[in-house]
Amino acid sequence: MSEVIDRRIDRSHMQVSDEVAIQISRMNKWYGSFHVLRDIDMTVHKGERIVICGPSGSGKSTLIRCINRLEEHQSGKIVVDGIELTSDLKNINKVRSEVGMVFQHFNLFPHLTILENCTLAPIWVRKTPKREADEVAMHFLKKVKIPEQAHKYPGQLSGGQQQRVAIARSLCMKPRIMLFDEPTSALDPEMIKEVLDTMIELAEEGMTMLCVTHEMGFAQAVANRVIFMDQGQIVEQNEPAEFFRNPRSDRTKLFLSQILGH
Amino acid sequence: MSDTPAQTVPFVRDTMLPPAPPPASQAGALRWLRENLLSGPLNIALTLLGIGAVWYLLQGIVPWLAHSVWSADNLTQCRQIITDRWGEGATGACWAVIRERWTQFLFGFYPQHLYWRPTLAFALLFVALAPVLFARVPKKLLWFSVAYPFVAFWLLWGGSLFLPLTVAAGFGLGWAAFALLHRFGTIPAVAAAVLLPVLWWLLFAGDLSRDLTGLVGREVPFWLEQVRSDKFGGFVLAITIGVAGIALSLPLGIMLALGRQSDMFLIKTLAVSFIEFIRGVPLITLLFTASLLLNYFLPPGTTFDIILRVIIMVTLFAAAYIAEVIRGGLAALPRGQYEAADALGLDYWKAQRLIILPQALKISIPGIVSTFIGMFKDTTLVVFVGLLDPLKGITDAVRASTDWKGIYWEPYIFVGAIFFIFNFAMSRYSMHLERRLKTDHRQE
């Protein structure tokens, strides 16, 4: 199950604080008349690494996309880093610049070089001087182990490399929270590991992370909490060891048997 | 019973094969001919028919071109020369008409002693275009590109230097208002940036320009001999309208395309109605509106230059088409690009300017340039509102003269060739630009 995680995790910096990073209460969302998210209540503390899993269509992606308001919720309350998400554009952009997001299909900007992809938001949103932004970008590109690709275009990189660039691009904004929306689902098997390694490093540094993923090995090794969703609701949540050893609801058992048992 | 067929033997490759070159090409001229032209009875027949058609055309054109006459005073003399040289019944091109009247095709009835002014404006056009079109030209030249419309206006129409200067000052005023008020929010800044210049032009610009002119007198550095719009004609007219239309319709088209994609009902409705209305009526209708109807709506006594009116109409017309072309480019972008821009905290305008439009415009280049080419050719339609376009206006004027009555092909070929040069250049430039901006699959 965890053959992709082949190293010891350094847990010295993985500390969950009492400080609340994200507070979601009684949140509901509809697509037209379809009720996608139903009465979601969730508190994320600073430093938590949460893995959200569930069958497709269960609303897990929609949930994390609500956190930076790529999707609008219709009732309830979402407070991110002390800022409530309303239709106020200023608040939304403030939250978005504090919350990094990594997408399934990378969504790098194909007309910009890797370096430009990484410096664009710091320069235009944070008003960082270009030189400083370049330095920061190179620092993070080194961290994801592709500084030599800085002047290439996304189309010249492999999927795994592109996803690592996407992670570096988010990190350049120095976010407090990182959202991962199925970051390895579009990758070939041999590239999944390099992306997961990058995510593990991030977790080791104490980043608050919410990951929608089916990489149960990653969940077991890194997460402090696993949330299982179905039909727009949180069905079960527990710490990973308990979650995998002792799933309580039938839906969770069915889901786990489908993705783990072969 | 075994799972594997009897003849299957376990196999392990011990040496990897090196890449081998492809089989030597068997191509040769004869093979090419056989494959492309003579591959079957039908193709043989079609090839022969094609050769026949080309032969028939060349038979007419080649002698006509070979018998060209370059100097003659009039058509009768020209025909006489052809008959004398190549015998009774020979046909020949009479390019003497171009040699004698080419200035008219280029300048219309622009005063002869002032030909240098449109010529200079045309030459400066390339200086102004260079930093916009080519990446290697230093970007500081863009300042000249910004000033160029005013320089060109002054050179073409003449009059007081203070008229273009006060108009330009209006734009400067708008820009300054925007820069100063930006921190108080986008809406007041935009409102001020639009209202201040308009007020400036309506209330102060005219008087100020007149007063300043009165102050310094009609002396050379401040005053050029005025040329009225009805003296414009030929390619000076076509290029003036074409360049102005192209330069103005692109930004307007972009705004319309964005407006059509907007979430705001009012803006979307306005953009859609505008685009559908303009695309729904023929350009000539708009030109007639410009030349006739506008007079009814404007307060009596206002003079509103006819070329300016035509430029406005041509711009609106092209902008509606360009908006639709760009909308296609916008629709072709994956939603992920918008989401990634949003997720990084870029606001709407920054996301559009830095992420969305560069990609959408790149996709739309062929369509945009097609629209520009179409618009440049459509400038010949201004003949219907009494302006002397090169194709019909000037050609008719030439053919109406006693000397060249009856000449037919030569002027049209000449005008067509010049249009072709401009349009072909635009087409090649668009291909160059597509190659330059191609960043998606660089591994070839």
mmCIF file of all heavy atoms in Angstrom, chain A residues 112-138:
data_model
loop_
_atom_site.group_PDB
_atom_site.id
_atom_site.type_symbol
_atom_site.label_atom_id
_atom_site.label_comp_id
_atom_site.label_asym_id
_atom_site.label_seq_id
_atom_site.Cartn_x
_atom_site.Cartn_y
_atom_site.Cartn_z
ATOM 1 N N LEU A 112 4.255 31.423 -20.473
ATOM 2 C CA LEU A 112 5.316 31.984 -19.645
ATOM 3 C C LEU A 112 6.330 30.891 -19.307
ATOM 4 O O LEU A 112 5.977 29.719 -19.231
ATOM 5 C CB LEU A 112 4.734 32.539 -18.344
ATOM 6 C CG LEU A 112 3.680 33.636 -18.481
ATOM 7 C CD1 LEU A 112 3.129 33.994 -17.112
ATOM 8 C CD2 LEU A 112 4.261 34.864 -19.142
ATOM 9 N N THR A 113 7.591 31.317 -19.091
ATOM 10 C CA THR A 113 8.585 30.327 -18.684
ATOM 11 C C THR A 113 8.278 29.860 -17.267
ATOM 12 O O THR A 113 7.441 30.444 -16.567
ATOM 13 C CB THR A 113 10.001 30.930 -18.690
ATOM 14 O OG1 THR A 113 10.053 31.970 -17.727
ATOM 15 C CG2 THR A 113 10.381 31.489 -20.050
ATOM 16 N N ILE A 114 8.990 28.803 -16.856
ATOM 17 C CA ILE A 114 8.795 28.276 -15.507
ATOM 18 C C ILE A 114 9.039 29.373 -14.476
ATOM 19 O O ILE A 114 8.236 29.580 -13.560
ATOM 20 C CB ILE A 114 9.793 27.107 -15.278
ATOM 21 C CG1 ILE A 114 9.548 26.002 -16.302
ATOM 22 C CG2 ILE A 114 9.723 26.586 -13.866
ATOM 23 C CD1 ILE A 114 8.158 25.473 -16.342
ATOM 24 N N LEU A 115 10.143 30.120 -14.675
ATOM 25 C CA LEU A 115 10.467 31.186 -13.727
ATOM 26 C C LEU A 115 9.369 32.255 -13.711
ATOM 27 O O LEU A 115 8.942 32.711 -12.643
ATOM 28 C CB LEU A 115 11.815 31.812 -14.110
ATOM 29 C CG LEU A 115 12.378 32.820 -13.116
ATOM 30 C CD1 LEU A 115 12.704 32.130 -11.798
ATOM 31 C CD2 LEU A 115 13.640 33.480 -13.665
ATOM 32 N N GLU A 116 8.902 32.634 -14.908
ATOM 33 C CA GLU A 116 7.847 33.657 -14.972
ATOM 34 C C GLU A 116 6.556 33.171 -14.337
ATOM 35 O O GLU A 116 5.812 33.936 -13.722
ATOM 36 C CB GLU A 116 7.595 34.060 -16.432
ATOM 37 C CG GLU A 116 8.700 34.900 -17.019
ATOM 38 C CD GLU A 116 8.639 35.004 -18.530
ATOM 39 O OE1 GLU A 116 7.967 34.172 -19.176
ATOM 40 O OE2 GLU A 116 9.277 35.903 -19.072
ATOM 41 N N ASN A 117 6.261 31.869 -14.498
ATOM 42 C CA ASN A 117 5.104 31.294 -13.834
ATOM 43 C C ASN A 117 5.191 31.513 -12.328
ATOM 44 O O ASN A 117 4.199 31.803 -11.676
ATOM 45 C CB ASN A 117 5.038 29.790 -14.120
ATOM 46 C CG ASN A 117 4.103 29.446 -15.256
ATOM 47 O OD1 ASN A 117 2.897 29.370 -15.064
ATOM 48 N ND2 ASN A 117 4.649 29.273 -16.441
ATOM 49 N N CYS A 118 6.410 31.361 -11.812
ATOM 50 C CA CYS A 118 6.588 31.440 -10.365
ATOM 51 C C CYS A 118 6.635 32.883 -9.853
ATOM 52 O O CYS A 118 6.264 33.143 -8.718
ATOM 53 C CB CYS A 118 7.875 30.732 -9.964
ATOM 54 S SG CYS A 118 7.788 28.953 -10.210
ATOM 55 N N THR A 119 7.096 33.815 -10.680
ATOM 56 C CA THR A 119 7.262 35.185 -10.172
ATOM 57 C C THR A 119 6.050 36.064 -10.458
ATOM 58 O O THR A 119 5.934 37.148 -9.900
ATOM 59 C CB THR A 119 8.489 35.865 -10.804
ATOM 60 O OG1 THR A 119 8.344 35.833 -12.223
ATOM 61 C CG2 THR A 119 9.769 35.157 -10.419
ATOM 62 N N LEU A 120 5.150 35.594 -11.339
ATOM 63 C CA LEU A 120 4.036 36.458 -11.759
ATOM 64 C C LEU A 120 3.206 36.986 -10.593
ATOM 65 O O LEU A 120 3.046 38.189 -10.414
ATOM 66 C CB LEU A 120 3.145 35.680 -12.735
ATOM 67 C CG LEU A 120 1.997 36.496 -13.300
ATOM 68 C CD1 LEU A 120 2.183 36.698 -14.784
ATOM 69 C CD2 LEU A 120 0.663 35.819 -13.057
ATOM 70 N N ALA A 121 2.714 36.063 -9.762
ATOM 71 C CA ALA A 121 1.855 36.510 -8.665
ATOM 72 C C ALA A 121 2.618 37.324 -7.614
ATOM 73 O O ALA A 121 2.130 38.370 -7.177
ATOM 74 C CB ALA A 121 1.144 35.319 -8.036
ATOM 75 N N PRO A 122 3.825 36.895 -7.202
ATOM 76 C CA PRO A 122 4.554 37.753 -6.253
ATOM 77 C C PRO A 122 4.749 39.175 -6.776
ATOM 78 O O PRO A 122 4.595 40.139 -6.025
ATOM 79 C CB PRO A 122 5.898 37.031 -6.095
ATOM 80 C CG PRO A 122 5.584 35.602 -6.346
ATOM 81 C CD PRO A 122 4.511 35.607 -7.385
ATOM 82 N N ILE A 123 5.067 39.304 -8.072
ATOM 83 C CA ILE A 123 5.315 40.640 -8.616
ATOM 84 C C ILE A 123 4.023 41.445 -8.709
ATOM 85 O O ILE A 123 3.969 42.612 -8.311
ATOM 86 C CB ILE A 123 5.974 40.546 -10.012
ATOM 87 C CG1 ILE A 123 7.413 40.020 -9.867
ATOM 88 C CG2 ILE A 123 5.976 41.908 -10.702
ATOM 89 C CD1 ILE A 123 8.121 39.771 -11.174
ATOM 90 N N TRP A 124 2.948 40.817 -9.209
ATOM 91 C CA TRP A 124 1.746 41.601 -9.508
ATOM 92 C C TRP A 124 0.762 41.669 -8.345
ATOM 93 O O TRP A 124 -0.045 42.589 -8.282
ATOM 94 C CB TRP A 124 1.040 41.054 -10.750
ATOM 95 C CG TRP A 124 1.845 41.304 -11.972
ATOM 96 C CD1 TRP A 124 2.746 40.454 -12.536
ATOM 97 C CD2 TRP A 124 1.869 42.488 -12.779
ATOM 98 N NE1 TRP A 124 3.318 41.037 -13.635
ATOM 99 C CE2 TRP A 124 2.799 42.267 -13.816
ATOM 100 C CE3 TRP A 124 1.175 43.698 -12.722
ATOM 101 C CZ2 TRP A 124 3.078 43.228 -14.776
ATOM 102 C CZ3 TRP A 124 1.443 44.652 -13.690
ATOM 103 C CH2 TRP A 124 2.381 44.407 -14.705
ATOM 104 N N VAL A 125 0.797 40.680 -7.468
ATOM 105 C CA VAL A 125 -0.142 40.708 -6.338
ATOM 106 C C VAL A 125 0.557 41.233 -5.081
ATOM 107 O O VAL A 125 0.064 42.109 -4.409
ATOM 108 C CB VAL A 125 -0.734 39.310 -6.083
ATOM 109 C CG1 VAL A 125 -1.677 39.353 -4.890
ATOM 110 C CG2 VAL A 125 -1.469 38.813 -7.317
ATOM 111 N N ARG A 126 1.758 40.688 -4.812
ATOM 112 C CA ARG A 126 2.471 41.104 -3.607
ATOM 113 C C ARG A 126 3.345 42.334 -3.828
ATOM 114 O O ARG A 126 3.927 42.852 -2.885
ATOM 115 C CB ARG A 126 3.376 39.969 -3.137
ATOM 116 C CG ARG A 126 2.644 38.798 -2.544
ATOM 117 C CD ARG A 126 2.942 38.653 -1.087
ATOM 118 N NE ARG A 126 2.491 37.373 -0.581
ATOM 119 C CZ ARG A 126 1.261 37.144 -0.163
ATOM 120 N NH1 ARG A 126 0.374 38.111 -0.202
ATOM 121 N NH2 ARG A 126 0.925 35.959 0.286
ATOM 122 N N LYS A 127 3.503 42.745 -5.106
ATOM 123 C CA LYS A 127 4.346 43.894 -5.446
ATOM 124 C C LYS A 127 5.803 43.677 -5.028
ATOM 125 O O LYS A 127 6.495 44.620 -4.627
ATOM 126 C CB LYS A 127 3.836 45.198 -4.792
ATOM 127 C CG LYS A 127 2.344 45.431 -4.958
ATOM 128 C CD LYS A 127 2.032 45.976 -6.318
ATOM 129 C CE LYS A 127 0.540 46.195 -6.474
ATOM 130 N NZ LYS A 127 0.071 45.977 -7.814
ATOM 131 N N THR A 128 6.264 42.454 -5.075
ATOM 132 C CA THR A 128 7.665 42.164 -4.782
ATOM 133 C C THR A 128 8.516 42.666 -5.940
ATOM 134 O O THR A 128 8.139 42.484 -7.091
ATOM 135 C CB THR A 128 7.865 40.640 -4.660
ATOM 136 O OG1 THR A 128 6.816 40.114 -3.877
ATOM 137 C CG2 THR A 128 9.201 40.298 -4.045
ATOM 138 N N PRO A 129 9.674 43.298 -5.649
ATOM 139 C CA PRO A 129 10.558 43.699 -6.751
ATOM 140 C C PRO A 129 10.986 42.467 -7.548
ATOM 141 O O PRO A 129 11.150 41.389 -6.989
ATOM 142 C CB PRO A 129 11.760 44.333 -6.056
ATOM 143 C CG PRO A 129 11.298 44.656 -4.688
ATOM 144 C CD PRO A 129 10.183 43.717 -4.347
ATOM 145 N N LYS A 130 11.186 42.641 -8.858
ATOM 146 C CA LYS A 130 11.420 41.498 -9.730
ATOM 147 C C LYS A 130 12.615 40.670 -9.278
ATOM 148 O O LYS A 130 12.566 39.447 -9.264
ATOM 149 C CB LYS A 130 11.618 41.964 -11.171
ATOM 150 C CG LYS A 130 11.662 40.810 -12.149
ATOM 151 C CD LYS A 130 11.891 41.285 -13.562
ATOM 152 C CE LYS A 130 12.055 40.105 -14.510
ATOM 153 N NZ LYS A 130 13.050 39.129 -14.103
ATOM 154 N N ARG A 131 13.692 41.365 -8.885
ATOM 155 C CA ARG A 131 14.891 40.612 -8.526
ATOM 156 C C ARG A 131 14.666 39.696 -7.337
ATOM 157 O O ARG A 131 15.066 38.545 -7.330
ATOM 158 C CB ARG A 131 16.039 41.579 -8.216
ATOM 159 C CG ARG A 131 16.958 41.595 -9.390
ATOM 160 C CD ARG A 131 18.255 42.273 -9.269
ATOM 161 N NE ARG A 131 19.264 41.789 -8.383
ATOM 162 C CZ ARG A 131 20.287 42.578 -8.027
ATOM 163 N NH1 ARG A 131 20.319 43.820 -8.452
ATOM 164 N NH2 ARG A 131 21.230 42.114 -7.262
ATOM 165 N N GLU A 132 13.976 40.285 -6.351
ATOM 166 C CA GLU A 132 13.683 39.498 -5.166
ATOM 167 C C GLU A 132 12.775 38.314 -5.522
ATOM 168 O O GLU A 132 12.999 37.187 -5.070
ATOM 169 C CB GLU A 132 13.000 40.411 -4.151
ATOM 170 C CG GLU A 132 13.075 39.934 -2.735
ATOM 171 C CD GLU A 132 12.244 40.848 -1.850
ATOM 172 O OE1 GLU A 132 12.362 42.074 -2.009
ATOM 173 O OE2 GLU A 132 11.480 40.327 -1.033
ATOM 174 N N ALA A 133 11.755 38.599 -6.367
ATOM 175 C CA ALA A 133 10.837 37.530 -6.764
ATOM 176 C C ALA A 133 11.585 36.422 -7.493
ATOM 177 O O ALA A 133 11.322 35.232 -7.279
ATOM 178 C CB ALA A 133 9.740 38.103 -7.657
ATOM 179 N N ASP A 134 12.552 36.806 -8.341
ATOM 180 C CA ASP A 134 13.356 35.804 -9.042
ATOM 181 C C ASP A 134 14.117 34.932 -8.051
ATOM 182 O O ASP A 134 14.168 33.708 -8.186
ATOM 183 C CB ASP A 134 14.365 36.492 -9.974
ATOM 184 C CG ASP A 134 13.709 36.945 -11.266
ATOM 185 O OD1 ASP A 134 12.552 36.532 -11.509
ATOM 186 O OD2 ASP A 134 14.345 37.700 -12.026
ATOM 187 N N GLU A 135 14.699 35.584 -7.044
ATOM 188 C CA GLU A 135 15.468 34.825 -6.053
ATOM 189 C C GLU A 135 14.583 33.838 -5.307
ATOM 190 O O GLU A 135 14.941 32.663 -5.132
ATOM 191 C CB GLU A 135 16.131 35.779 -5.053
ATOM 192 C CG GLU A 135 17.450 36.324 -5.556
ATOM 193 C CD GLU A 135 17.918 37.504 -4.719
ATOM 194 O OE1 GLU A 135 17.542 37.573 -3.527
ATOM 195 O OE2 GLU A 135 18.657 38.342 -5.257
ATOM 196 N N VAL A 136 13.418 34.343 -4.866
ATOM 197 C CA VAL A 136 12.494 33.470 -4.141
ATOM 198 C C VAL A 136 12.079 32.297 -5.024
ATOM 199 O O VAL A 136 12.063 31.132 -4.599
ATOM 200 C CB VAL A 136 11.245 34.272 -3.692
ATOM 201 C CG1 VAL A 136 10.194 33.338 -3.120
ATOM 202 C CG2 VAL A 136 11.642 35.316 -2.658
ATOM 203 N N ALA A 137 11.776 32.608 -6.299
ATOM 204 C CA ALA A 137 11.330 31.559 -7.216
ATOM 205 C C ALA A 137 12.421 30.510 -7.391
ATOM 206 O O ALA A 137 12.150 29.302 -7.352
ATOM 207 C CB ALA A 137 10.952 32.164 -8.559
ATOM 208 N N MET A 138 13.669 30.963 -7.550
ATOM 209 C CA MET A 138 14.755 29.999 -7.727
ATOM 210 C C MET A 138 14.927 29.144 -6.467
ATOM 211 O O MET A 138 15.187 27.950 -6.560
ATOM 212 C CB MET A 138 16.079 30.725 -8.057
ATOM 213 C CG MET A 138 16.182 31.246 -9.479
ATOM 214 S SD MET A 138 15.670 30.097 -10.779
ATOM 215 C CE MET A 138 16.962 28.865 -10.664
#
